[in-house]
Amino acid sequence: MNEHLETLAPIPLWRHFRTFCEVPRPSGKEEALAQRLVAWATEKGFEHERDDAGNLLIRKAATPGHEDRPGVVLQGHLDMVSQAAPGVTHDFDRDSIDTEIRDGWLYARGTTLGADNGVGACAALAILEEEGLTHGPLEALMTVEEEASLVGAINLKPGWLKGQYLLNLDSEDEGQVYIGCAGGASVRTKATLVRAPFDGPMETLIISVHGLKGGHSGLDIHLGLGNANRLLSRLLHRLCDHGLRLVDYEGGTMGNAITREAKATVALPKQHHETVMAQIEHYQEIYRQELAGLDDGVTISVSSAQAERALSSEDTYRLMGLMHGLPYGVAGMSRSASGVVETSNNQGIVSLKDGTFSIQLMVRSLRDSTRDELVARIATLMRLTGFEPAINEGYPGWTPEPESELLARFERVHERVTGEAPEVRVIHAGLECGLIGSKNPGMQMISFGPTIRGAHTPDERVELSAVENFYGVLKAMVEDLAQR
């Protein structure tokens, strides 16, 4: 499987990416891949070690005569977002990613590809084995569970890194370089609610919202894409007026992905059947009008089901009131970074099963103060509807340093290699740079990468020519940093 990857350039990068595709690596389950890389590093004679979080650090000595140059850290993460297209059966804990090339882009067949951030991580590994490359001391840092709220970076061993410069390879637009990113925090609640038998003639239905594109909850949040949790809760909240009682609910699999599908099993008085079906049809038309040109495939489906118990009407209304009232999407734009979202929230994972309700929201912001304010608003709404919030400590943003020596050198190298100056940007996503920087004061950092589209969705793809160009810039940057 994936033999065609080894025919692509640059050869060492794609050879590593084949390994990344064939060794399952969903967030929290990267150990098999980490062990494979440990074996590879041992075979190559590279020094390597792990920290208590499971992060992997591989070191390569400087080219003779360049030992006194500042060390360079090449950084990526091992895990990937696990999403399959509707109707596709794929066990991300066991099955390999099956790739294909279409029109100059690499895709996976029916699943996320893992180019985010597999390509960047593989570029770092390829640099370590490049022959004839002049470089100072090199470190390749491979973090774990980045897609699960930056767990590896949060628990990174303090003082572990020796390098003075960090090249984060987790960006997704060729020709751009990032010098700042959003911080974030998650807000959750979990409660056990009482289920009771029906108290009159009821019919049980499964109502599903699907056909949405989904996307990255940071990079794509400004696009106005449909979130299935948001759309379904809006409909169900309206149906509470017709005696709706909630049996169970399932929506979303990742906190940092815009939810593509959600479904609820509900019980409704039989005498309201025609009214309810009319409301469902009405809301489908509303959603198609509101999402025209963005999510044209949005669909509400209804099928019959069986159930004997459900939440009370009061608890159903309380729960749906919370979901309907929670903020979603862009909360504010940055005044210092033109065109960049400052603060946003995503309704990521919602579940009700056997009476146990849970919801997970991800708040992002370029400012810690506005992040904390939105978190406080969400927590207040949870308490007002009778649910106790659980708030994590959050992670810091990455403060831009537009005058840094590292950025200036990158701009010169990029223009020399590509003929064009890079676009300097700030990103509304949770790169690991802020956390790594907090544990390594004084380290200069930039982030760049190849063009990736559809990250966190089964439409994820990476442009092959952009990977080749990205790798050329990376090689040239490593060599430039070895010069005085």
Side-chain angles (χ1 to χ4, degrees), residues 12 122 167 169 228 243 319 383 405 465 468 474:
C122 291
L167 307 181
L169 309 176
L319 192 157
R383 291 191 181 98
E405 176 198 0
S465 62
E468 194 166 1
L474 176 59

Side-chain angles (χ1 to χ4, degrees), residues 55-57 73-76 139-143 156 160-161 436:
N55 300 308
L56 170 63
L57 183 62
V73 181
L74 309 173
Q75 193 262 316
E139 296 172 289
L141 174 62
M142 303 285 117
T143 54
L156 185 72
W160 201 24
L161 304 177
I436 294 173

Side-chain angles (χ1 to χ4, degrees), residues 81-338:
V81 169
S82 304
Q83 293 272 299
V88 173
T89 300
H90 187 94
D91 186 343
F92 285 94
D93 293 348
R94 298 173 180 269
D95 298 340
S96 298
I97 301 298
D98 186 12
T99 66
E100 63 176 342
I101 297 171
R102 284 187 267 144
D103 300 323
W105 294 76
L106 184 71
Y107 291 77
R109 299 179 193 271
T111 69
T112 38
L113 173 62
D116 170 23
N117 169 240
V119 168
C122 291
L125 299 172
I127 288 290
L128 293 181
E129 60 179 335
E130 277 282 355
E131 296 182 3
L133 186 71
T134 301
H135 57 83
L138 292 179
E139 296 172 289
L141 174 62
M142 303 285 117
T143 54
V144 297
E145 297 188 70
E146 189 270 352
E147 302 291 4
S149 300
L150 309 176
V151 171
I154 288 172
N155 296 288
L156 185 72
K157 181 179 178 181
W160 201 24
L161 304 177
K162 299 178 181 179
Q164 297 177 36
Y165 299 127
L166 183 134
L167 307 181
N168 172 279
L169 309 176
D170 194 14
S171 297
E172 300 178 0
D173 281 285
E174 181 187 9
Q176 297 181 356
V177 58
Y178 291 87
I179 62 170
C181 75
S186 68
V187 189
R188 310 177 187 216
T189 192
K190 187 173 183 178
T192 300
L193 305 173
V194 176
R195 297 187 299 161
F198 301 146
D199 51 8
M202 305 285 278
E203 68 172 337
T204 307
L205 303 173
I206 298 174
I207 304 176
S208 305
V209 172
H210 53 94
L212 299 168
K213 295 177 182 176
H216 189 294
S217 69
L219 300 178
D220 299 325
I221 200 69
H222 65 289
L223 298 177
L225 297 167
N227 181 304
N229 283 326
R230 181 70 170 171
L231 299 179
L232 183 54
S233 65
R234 178 177 167 187
L235 169 61
L236 298 183
H237 183 260
R238 179 68 181 86
L239 294 182
C240 285
D241 293 343
H242 302 289
L244 177 118
R245 292 177 59 181
L246 195 58
V247 177
D248 59 32
Y249 186 105
E250 180 182 356
T253 58
M254 296 289 293
N256 56 4
I258 298 172
T259 305
R260 295 181 295 115
E261 299 178 345
K263 64 179 181 179
T265 304
V266 302
L268 288 148
K270 288 185 176 181
Q271 68 266 30
H272 292 161
H273 175 83
E274 291 186 6
T275 302
V276 166
M277 297 307 293
Q279 283 287 330
I280 291 172
E281 184 175 347
H282 175 62
Y283 270 84
Q284 177 170 269
E285 182 59 28
I286 288 175
Y287 294 160
R288 287 180 173 173
Q289 291 177 7
E290 293 178 349
L291 296 172
L294 294 170
D295 262 315
D296 294 311
V298 60
T299 301
I300 304 176
S301 297
V302 182
S303 60
S304 298
Q306 297 292 325
E308 296 180 354
R309 305 169 71 85
L311 302 186
S312 67
S313 298
E314 293 76 15
D315 277 351
T316 296
Y317 187 78
R318 184 162 62 94
L319 192 157
M320 298 320 306
L322 170 65
M323 289 184 61
H324 182 58
L326 284 169
Y328 167 72
V330 176
M333 301 296 291
S334 173
R335 288 177 294 177
S336 58
S338 179

